[in-house]
Amino acid sequence: MTGVDLQEVSIRYGDVVAVDRLTLHVSPGRVLGMLGGNGAGKSSTLRAIGGVNAHSSGILTVAGFDMGTPEGADAARELVGYCPDIGGLISQATPDEHIDLVASLRGTRGGRAVSDGLVERFGLSAVRDRPAGTFSHGMQRRLSVLLAVLTAREVLVLDEPFDGVDPTGVDVTVSAIREAARSGMAVVVSTHLQQLLTSASDDIAVLIKGQLATEASASEFSGPEGERRYADLLQSVPVEAVA
């Protein structure tokens, strides 16, 4: 396992630069939490790591594979479990049908025994035969995280996994993040919930206007002092740049 490595990575959408020369490394067994306001480039970065969108320049290596080549990107995708910030589910499909689909397309860790255990842990047993489109937003997030955990082999990427999730679901998700790291995976998590992110992460990277503002241990962004530090970083740029 070689984790995730970004060297001067930029991501552009036409004339818009979403990520600007970002350099980061996530070692196997570590959890990197990404903080930043709306438009900071977090989701664009996570999509590139997950192999959903291609980066525009720089070098992005995931699980030892170069995401800049079609062959490397295809190989890396097989090793990454990715939960997008929005979407990703089939509204007419049940949790069991989602699991069967990803198992047929990607394979899953541990087969049915593991997936059944995750369904129980994520509190989806009672709704496993209901279409996902009938779920609350929080329950849909639980299912998205479950599918990412089930398919992750070397890298786990979770974009806003706690959005709308109740305390029980939050605890299960944090536990899954920590278990993935203990198993040797590199984990990248993004959320606006700063204190929750610091409790789940080893390291924190703050992005502002697509650039790395700072990277530090999670403890440096925890508690009231950490909240002040983060607020000071956001206030160091114009409001419209992070809105």
Side-chain angles (χ1 to χ4, degrees):
M1 295 187 180
T2 57
V4 176
D5 191 68
L6 294 83
Q7 296 292 329
E8 294 285 311
V9 168
S10 294
I11 300 171
R12 302 179 185 87
Y13 304 110
D15 294 332
V16 176
V17 180
V19 178
D20 187 12
R21 296 166 295 172
L22 180 62
T23 295
L24 281 173
H25 181 74
V26 190
S27 298
R30 301 287 290 183
V31 181
L32 176 68
M34 298 187 73
L35 279 174
N38 294 330
K42 305 184 304 299
S43 290
S44 292
T45 301
L46 268 58
R47 291 186 195 112
I49 295 171
V52 177
N53 291 346
H55 61 292
S56 304
S57 61
I59 300 173
L60 172 58
T61 304
V62 177
F65 293 98
D66 183 358
M67 300 295 284
T69 68
E71 298 82 5
D74 286 345
R77 288 189 195 100
E78 295 298 314
L79 303 174
V80 177
Y82 170 68
C83 168
D85 57 337
I86 55 175
L89 299 177
I90 303 169
S91 61
Q92 299 88 352
T94 67
D96 278 349
E97 289 170 338
H98 278 92
I99 291 169
D100 289 342
L101 178 61
V102 298
S104 65
L105 294 176
R106 294 272 312 275
T108 56
R109 294 183 297 107
R112 179 57 69 175
V114 169
S115 63
D116 284 348
L118 287 172
V119 167
E120 179 70 26
R121 286 181 58 189
F122 277 86
L124 297 173
S125 295
V127 296
R128 64 188 306 163
D129 59 350
R130 276 178 46 190
T134 67
F135 292 1
S136 68
H137 179 66
M139 293 293 280
Q140 290 181 353
R141 297 311 293 160
R142 290 193 195 195
L143 178 56
S144 292
V145 172
L146 181 155
L147 295 172
V149 170
L150 191 60
T151 53
R153 288 173 170 80
E154 295 197 20
V155 177
L156 177 63
V157 179
L158 304 178
D159 197 354
E160 294 292 344
F162 306 113
D163 187 30
V165 178
D166 62 23
T168 299
V170 166
D171 289 344
V172 172
T173 300
V174 171
S175 176
I177 289 169
R178 284 302 183 185
E179 288 178 10
R182 284 195 296 270
S183 74
M185 293 188 198
V187 185
V188 190
V189 185
S190 169
T191 180
H192 291 290
L193 304 174
Q194 180 182 348
Q195 294 309 313
L196 180 55
L197 187 64
T198 57
S199 69
S201 304
D202 299 304
D203 308 291
I204 296 291
V206 179
L207 270 62
I208 296 178
K209 295 180 64 177
Q211 296 183 331
L212 180 65
T214 190
E215 184 178 8
S217 67
S219 62
E220 295 185 43
F221 281 91
S222 63
E225 185 60 36
E227 291 181 350
R228 284 191 293 270
R229 180 179 183 183
Y230 180 47
D232 288 344
L233 283 169
L234 293 183
Q235 291 169 7
S236 67
V237 294
V239 173
E240 63 268 17
V242 296

